[in-house]
């Protein structure tokens, strides 16, 4: 099976109202895969002649949505357009879990949409906080590739749409924190060694290293958050580094700053892994094998527990402690074990208890077939 | 390999000062194996013409020990005699873990000994709290067999030794709580369903059932203790039912009382298991499979954690949730994963950290070969 092929993940008929899911690109890995999960670039753009989102009434919102539907369809026929307000909740949830739409976009009341291609690595949100949010994704660390791709798409849209642009400030956005380049560069890192907590795993602590990373980020005008936006302790030891400043710095400078911090943290994490291997080998191996054991045998599992074990196993695979599974499979499971995907697969809503049982079964299947 | 064959358990040369370990009879199972682990009968006897233990000076203690060495050797050549004060600590520890000697007997200062046969189901302690403590064991619930065996051995010793006996009180013992029959009947039960704790496993609680068992025991002059003597919460959900009264009741009455309570508790436990299977099937299966997973994959494990998982797995095997291992193997592991056995196998003292690593390896081996 080719990586990213979705057939193995959704073997059942997802039922009426189904939409074609894009490929699960997180099942592929990219440069610096031992530490970097994925990279993302996002541009915030607004269309001249329409009110900004906070002042947009439903009629005008609908007109904007219809207009952008036409434009996006003409620019790139590969972009499939979905009016979110016409989709059942669990379809929107699946799109959120694939990072195609934001949490706010899922639950908004306004006419709104998303367009994405079959690769799942390009998406355009319509009527999110800004009229347009153009996003591109890539597994691993690949900011040059992303920059080329997002620029090209931006230019194609700009050839058809008049953006709100000010010579002095740059792109004007609904929230001033995005004004300027409108660019957010984010890199998702897996930092289990830096975050290794002594009270949990009996090793020398890593809180100090996490603080050091936050300080370094601040100095560069960057920010570090957990997988779900939490700022201190990150779920599953996944941290996202991204820029905060969009005004007064060029896109190139922003990409450069993020890249610099990522390289620094990459280096810290790798050294820390080596140290743990030398000084805590038994504990580390135990931690990894227990994760493998529980993922492969549990009969019910919460998403939080699953994420923690997938994190431990990812570390174990990267360190060569275990070779029965590959990093891409684990990254894919991080997405497909989430509630929206489980319900999409079942074709109906599931209670939390049902989800825990279905999740455990799904993970067991995925790992036993590897 | 025949059950009870020790070769698989001690494949390495245990080094100088080694003694022949008896068979690991707990690897066999007996009647009511789903709930009853083992049965034991013990007689306390003292030799006329010698001071009781508290008044025994080392010289007299040595004379008594030498006398009983001769007597026991003549009564049954199959009984191998070991002067405990001449053995290294980890040998004594292994004997304790096999129930051949008591905790007090391991660490006493007096000249003292134990004689046991190759089956490991008969042992005679010399100079424990009483001059003689005659013990017989059996897997499962088999009190008739035990009673026949302990009576025969008692009679053979009595044919050579004058016991301290009073027409009115019966056998006189160092502590008055044993005076009369000198008999203690103990049955080890595995009660995971009755003890199922809601705060741990989210099921309806079993503390009530445990209290009910304690009350029933009290009414019959019996007592319920955990595996290591604790009275409320039992390690690994193993509980020991035994008589307290030795005065004013015949041996037959005592055996009958213990048997009656055991049958009652057996019935409660079985009904409780059925109820859990019906109402908590997913949680129960999860509990069992996680135990199997961790025992089969962990790289370090404390004895407390191992016991908890062996308990869960024993329940799972008895309920047919898992069939990859048999109850006897699990019962054997409960003994061989303990510190004395691990050190005996290694031929040296191990640090607690080393023991956890060796224990995990030993358990993995035992379960992967089943």
């Amino acid at each position: 099976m080719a990586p990213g092929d979705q057939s193995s993940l959704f073997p059942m008929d997802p039922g009426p109202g189904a939409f074609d899911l894009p490929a699960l690109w997180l099942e592929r890995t990219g440069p610096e895969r031992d530490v970097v999960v994925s990279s993302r670039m996002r541009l915030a753009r607004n269309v001249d002649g329409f009110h900004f989102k906070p002042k947009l009434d439903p009629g005008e919102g609908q007109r904007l949505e219809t207009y952008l539907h036409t434009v996006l369809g003409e620019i790139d026929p590969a972009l499939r357009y979905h009016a979110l307000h016409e989709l059942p909740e669990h379809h929107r949830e699946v799109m959120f879990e694939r990072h195609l739409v934001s949490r706010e976009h899922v639950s908004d009341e306004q006419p709104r949409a998303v367009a994405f291609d079959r690769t799942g690595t390009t998406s355009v949100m319509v009527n999110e906080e800004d009229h347009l949010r153009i996003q591109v994704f890539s597994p691993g660390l690949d900011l040059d590739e992303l920059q080329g791709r997002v620029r090209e798409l931006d230019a194609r849209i700009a050839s058809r749409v008049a953006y709100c642009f000010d010579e002095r400030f740059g792109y004007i956005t609904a929230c001033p924190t995005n004004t300027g380049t409108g660019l957010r560069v984010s890199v998702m890192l897996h930092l289990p060694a830096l975050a290794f907590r002594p009270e949990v795993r009996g090793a020398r602590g890593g809180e100090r290293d996490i603080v050091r990373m936050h300080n370094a980020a601040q100095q560069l005008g960057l920010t570090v958050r957990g997988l779900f936006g939490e700022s201190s302790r990150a779920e599953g030891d996944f941290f996202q580094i991204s820029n905060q400043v969009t005004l007064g710095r060029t896109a190139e400078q922003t990409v450069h700053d993020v890249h610099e911090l990522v390289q620094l943290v990459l280096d810290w994490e790798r050294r820390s892994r080596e140290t743990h291997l030398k000084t805590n080998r038994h504990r580390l191996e135990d931690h990894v094998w227990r994760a493998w054991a529980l993922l492969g045998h549990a009969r019910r599992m919460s998403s939080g527990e699953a994420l923690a074990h997938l994190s431990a196993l990812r570390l174990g695979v990267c360190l060569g402690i275990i070779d029965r599974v590959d990093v891409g499979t684990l990254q894919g499971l991080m997405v497909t074990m989430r509630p929206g995907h489980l319900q999409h697969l079942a074709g109906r809503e599931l209670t939390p208890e049902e989800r825990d049982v279905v999740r455990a079964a799904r993970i067991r299947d995925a790992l036993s077939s590897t």
Side-chain angles (χ1 to χ4, degrees), chain A:
Chain A
M1 189 186 89
D5 181 340
Q6 70 186 62
S7 60
S8 70
L9 289 154
F10 291 88
M12 290 164 53
D13 177 7
F19 68 100
D20 281 345
L21 270 170
L24 190 62
W25 58 268
L26 261 173
E27 280 194 333
R28 289 185 286 128
T29 54
E32 321 291 4
R33 60 189 276 283
D34 57 331
V35 179
V36 181
V37 178
S38 62
S39 311
R40 181 182 81 127
M41 281 194 201
R42 177 272 277 159
L43 295 174
R45 298 288 184 258
N46 289 275
V47 184
D48 207 15
F50 287 86
H51 282 101
F52 281 94
K53 179 80 184 297
K55 293 237 169 180
L56 207 60
D57 68 42
E60 192 183 4
Q62 189 60 64
R63 280 204 310 283
L64 177 65
E65 200 253 292
T66 307
Y67 168 60
L68 290 174
H69 188 165
T70 309
V71 168
L72 291 171
E74 289 170 5
I75 281 174
D76 189 350
L79 285 176
R80 296 174 186 214
Y81 194 89
H82 303 270
L84 286 180
H85 45 287
E86 291 167 6
L87 287 179
E89 165 135 19
H90 69 84
H91 286 191
R92 284 179 274 151
E93 198 63 30
V94 165
M95 290 177 179
F96 168 68
E97 289 169 0
R98 294 281 179 110
H99 303 286
L100 300 166
V101 299
S102 65
R103 172 51 68 204
E104 294 70 30
H105 213 38
V106 165
S107 52
D108 200 351
E109 303 266 296
Q110 290 272 14
R112 64 205 190 282
V114 63
F116 49 81
D117 67 5
R118 282 194 66 87
T119 70
T121 61
T122 300
S123 99
V124 182
M125 285 186 268
V126 169
N127 264 347
E128 208 253 12
E129 187 179 289
D130 296 292
H131 295 159
L132 288 163
R133 288 272 175 115
I134 307 166
Q135 298 188 107
V136 292
F137 303 94
S138 174
L141 181 67
D142 208 353
L143 298 183
D144 288 343
E145 189 266 348
L146 285 185
Q147 207 173 357
R149 205 138 54 83
V150 81
R151 270 190 179 160
E152 197 209 323
L153 184 53
D154 187 37
R156 284 161 74 184
I157 298 174
S159 72
R160 296 287 311 269
V161 171
Y163 284 154
C164 295
F165 185 80
D166 179 274
E167 286 297 333
R168 198 166 140 223
F169 292 118
Y171 296 96
I172 309 296
T173 52
C175 176
T177 54
N178 293 310
T179 297
T181 56
L183 172 67
R184 175 138 306 154
V185 182
S186 307
V187 177
M188 179 75 74
L189 298 145
H190 184 220
L191 307 177
L194 285 183
F196 214 63
R197 280 181 300 176
E199 72 278 18
V200 174
R201 296 163 212 164
R204 282 179 308 138
E207 296 298 332
R208 215 181 38 216
D209 295 315
I210 299 297
V211 169
R212 191 161 64 133
M213 175 171 68
H214 279 281
N215 291 344
Q218 211 162 24
Q219 284 175 10
L220 285 162
L222 305 177
T223 178
V224 183
R225 287 205 192 81
L227 186 54
F228 300 110
E230 65 279 25
S231 65
S232 53
R233 183 73 207 152
E235 290 248 19
D237 303 324
F238 294 98
F239 292 85
Q240 188 172 279
I241 288 179
S242 53
N243 65 301
Q244 284 193 292
V245 178
T246 53
L247 199 62
R249 283 189 89 67
T250 64
E252 287 69 25
Q253 286 170 326
T254 301
V255 170
H256 176 266
D257 291 347
V258 170
H259 199 265
E260 189 144 313
L261 181 61
V262 167
Q263 287 294 351
L264 196 67
V265 173
L266 247 175
D267 187 49
W268 291 349
E269 170 67 19
R270 284 177 183 151
R271 282 166 197 256
S272 180
R273 289 183 186 184
E274 276 169 37
T275 306
H276 283 301
L277 262 185
K278 273 185 206 140
T279 60
N280 288 314
R281 182 154 201 123
H282 284 309
R283 282 177 196 271
L284 203 54
E285 289 182 346
D286 185 54
H287 183 58
V288 169
W289 280 104
R290 281 172 183 256
W292 167 259
L294 291 173
L295 289 169
H297 293 89
R299 259 53 186 172
R300 45 198 298 277
M301 191 174 280
S302 71
S303 56
E305 184 189 350
L307 189 62
H309 296 324
L310 289 170
S311 165
L313 202 45
R314 193 186 194 284
L315 175 64
V317 173
C318 291
L319 289 177
I321 292 173
I322 192 166
D323 64 359
R324 303 188 192 179
V325 62
D326 57 77
V327 169
T329 300
L330 300 178
Q331 292 182 171
L333 271 174
M334 280 174 57
V335 175
T336 56
M337 64 91 172
R338 297 186 66 187
H341 277 76
L342 296 179
Q343 297 183 108
H344 188 77
L345 177 65
R348 65 176 177 92
E349 284 216 17
L350 301 170
T351 65
E353 171 69 26
E354 285 176 324
R355 290 206 297 264
D356 285 354
V357 172
V358 169
R359 176 178 298 113
R362 189 161 179 63
I363 295 173
R364 287 201 308 278
D365 283 355
L367 296 187
S368 69
S369 66
T370 62

